[in-house]
Amino acid sequence: MPPPVLRFAPSSNGFLHLGHAFSALMNFDSAQRRKGRFLLRIEDIDATRCRSEFETAIYQDLAWLGVSWEMPVRRQSEHLADYRAALDRLAMLGVLYPSFESRAEIASLVKAREVDGAWPRDPDGVPLYPGTAKSLAATERERRLRSGAPFALRLDMEAACRLAGRLTWIERGSGPDGETGEVLARPEVWGDVILARKDIPTSYHLSVVIDDALQGITDVMRGQDLFGSTAVHRLLQKILDLPQPVYNHHDLIRDSDGKKLSKSSEAIGLGELRTRGMTPREVRSFVGLP
């Protein structure tokens, strides 16, 4: 059997916190224990939020923790052609279409539909796409695209699920409700997810699937907050003929209120903890690692 390949893939849109440390160490320890490979990937497709100082801090924080990785580091912003090729493939399969509503227009459409009852939400609580762009005539789509109008490229979930058939994945960790072993994937609960925008030629769902395949990732170890997204990833893997890794979703590090640590909630960064005198050994102990 070839050695396992694991990865840690942070976004360079803020400083790493204890939750990131836990995931990075879990992946690194597993690779070391199993005599496998450990890769680092920088998810920097969001040019408005990702900054070089955050990327530099990622390298410094991981090195401080004792984590080492193979070179070169894959930076998503340097591989946009890979994502465009995948989008072209999806378009040829007939499962991709542009939508033109703004976020405000989508919110208005949802509000109008909720007059008759709650509009369905995806597992993250976001309303499913309520627009009618999928039924636009081809000539009207082309006219809007030629006009330079902003757009989002969406996955025709119904068509994609029909093409893929039944989907499962192997879960070696557990989901929020204890799901483990062979898990049935239900990507349809996400609706017509966005795979790219006019100004950003990819999305998390698309890029993570393409990157994992191109880097030969065999084991995806990540937080339980991404458990539900795996259904979309399995769907894309199937219709794009990409290999299926094994998944291991782990517990999240939470604050005193029980909420997961996140950059948006301004969780204390590893650099700040280092300045306060915390040691790598204390980090490991705090997150429950030997």
Side-chain angles (χ1 to χ4, degrees), residues 27-151:
N27 277 279
F28 180 70
D29 288 356
S30 180
Q32 294 284 98
R33 185 171 58 252
R34 299 162 62 192
K35 295 181 170 46
R37 299 169 57 206
F38 176 77
L39 308 181
L40 176 62
R41 182 163 76 225
I42 302 297
E43 298 189 343
D44 62 344
I45 58 174
D46 187 346
T48 61
R49 298 175 60 207
C50 293
R51 291 162 25 194
S52 59
E53 57 262 41
F54 292 141
E55 183 175 336
T56 298
I58 288 171
Y59 302 141
Q60 293 171 340
D61 290 341
L62 292 178
W64 172 67
L65 288 172
V67 173
S68 58
W69 54 90
E70 292 185 12
M71 296 296 286
V73 172
R74 181 178 174 92
R75 302 175 71 247
Q76 289 181 334
S77 60
E78 298 172 348
H79 299 276
L80 299 182
D82 293 332
Y83 313 131
R84 292 192 185 98
L87 290 170
D88 290 343
R89 175 81 181 278
L90 293 170
M92 290 180 61
L93 291 171
V95 296
L96 197 67
Y97 69 92
S99 65
F100 301 92
E101 299 93 345
S102 66
R103 288 182 174 87
E105 288 170 332
I106 288 177
S108 180
L109 287 171
V110 170
K111 184 177 180 180
R113 282 156 175 73
E114 289 193 318
V115 170
D116 299 320
W119 186 254
R121 259 74 172 165
D122 68 23
D124 287 339
V126 177
L128 302 193
Y129 173 62
T132 58
K134 187 160 52 177
S135 61
L136 279 178
T139 53
E140 177 60 14
R141 285 182 183 175
E142 288 302 315
R143 185 192 70 77
R144 295 193 187 191
L145 291 171
R146 285 197 304 270
S147 74
F151 63 86

Side-chain angles (χ1 to χ4, degrees), residues 42-270:
I42 302 297
E43 298 189 343
D44 62 344
I45 58 174
D46 187 346
T48 61
R49 298 175 60 207
C50 293
R51 291 162 25 194
S52 59
E53 57 262 41
F54 292 141
E55 183 175 336
T56 298
I58 288 171
Y59 302 141
Q60 293 171 340
D61 290 341
L62 292 178
W64 172 67
L65 288 172
V67 173
S68 58
W69 54 90
E70 292 185 12
M71 296 296 286
V73 172
R74 181 178 174 92
R75 302 175 71 247
Q76 289 181 334
S77 60
E78 298 172 348
H79 299 276
L80 299 182
D82 293 332
Y83 313 131
R84 292 192 185 98
L87 290 170
D88 290 343
R89 175 81 181 278
L90 293 170
M92 290 180 61
L93 291 171
V95 296
L96 197 67
Y97 69 92
S99 65
F100 301 92
E101 299 93 345
S102 66
R103 288 182 174 87
E105 288 170 332
I106 288 177
S108 180
L109 287 171
V110 170
K111 184 177 180 180
R113 282 156 175 73
E114 289 193 318
V115 170
D116 299 320
W119 186 254
R121 259 74 172 165
D122 68 23
D124 287 339
V126 177
L128 302 193
Y129 173 62
T132 58
K134 187 160 52 177
S135 61
L136 279 178
T139 53
E140 177 60 14
R141 285 182 183 175
E142 288 302 315
R143 185 192 70 77
R144 295 193 187 191
L145 291 171
R146 285 197 304 270
S147 74
F151 63 86
L153 289 176
R154 293 182 179 273
L155 182 67
D156 184 337
M157 186 60 73
E158 182 179 358
C161 287
R162 192 164 53 244
L163 190 64
R166 185 177 185 273
L167 295 167
T168 63
W169 78 82
I170 300 301
E171 177 63 53
R172 288 184 177 159
S174 65
D177 296 320
E179 304 94 332
T180 192
E182 185 178 39
V183 176
L184 178 66
R186 297 185 58 240
E188 66 274 8
V189 301
W190 290 90
D192 290 359
V193 295
I194 292 175
L195 295 185
R197 296 184 184 276
K198 179 183 179 181
D199 55 338
I200 304 178
T202 187
S203 67
Y204 167 71
H205 289 311
L206 182 66
S207 57
V208 71
V209 166
I210 298 303
D211 291 342
D212 284 346
L214 291 177
Q215 292 190 287
I217 303 301
T218 62
D219 296 59
V220 173
M221 187 179 295
R222 59 191 183 188
Q224 282 184 346
D225 53 332
L226 293 171
F227 180 85
S229 299
T230 309
V232 178
H233 303 167
R234 282 293 299 119
L235 175 61
L236 291 172
Q237 289 161 357
K238 181 65 177 293
I239 61 181
L240 289 170
D241 295 322
L242 300 177
Q244 173 186 355
V246 169
Y247 289 88
N248 185 329
H249 291 90
H250 58 69
D251 291 338
L252 301 174
I253 304 299
R254 301 182 182 275
D255 62 19
S256 57
D257 296 324
K259 297 179 181 179
K260 73 167 186 173
L261 299 183
S262 67
K263 295 172 183 173
S264 60
S265 64
E266 299 183 349
I268 299 175
L270 295 180

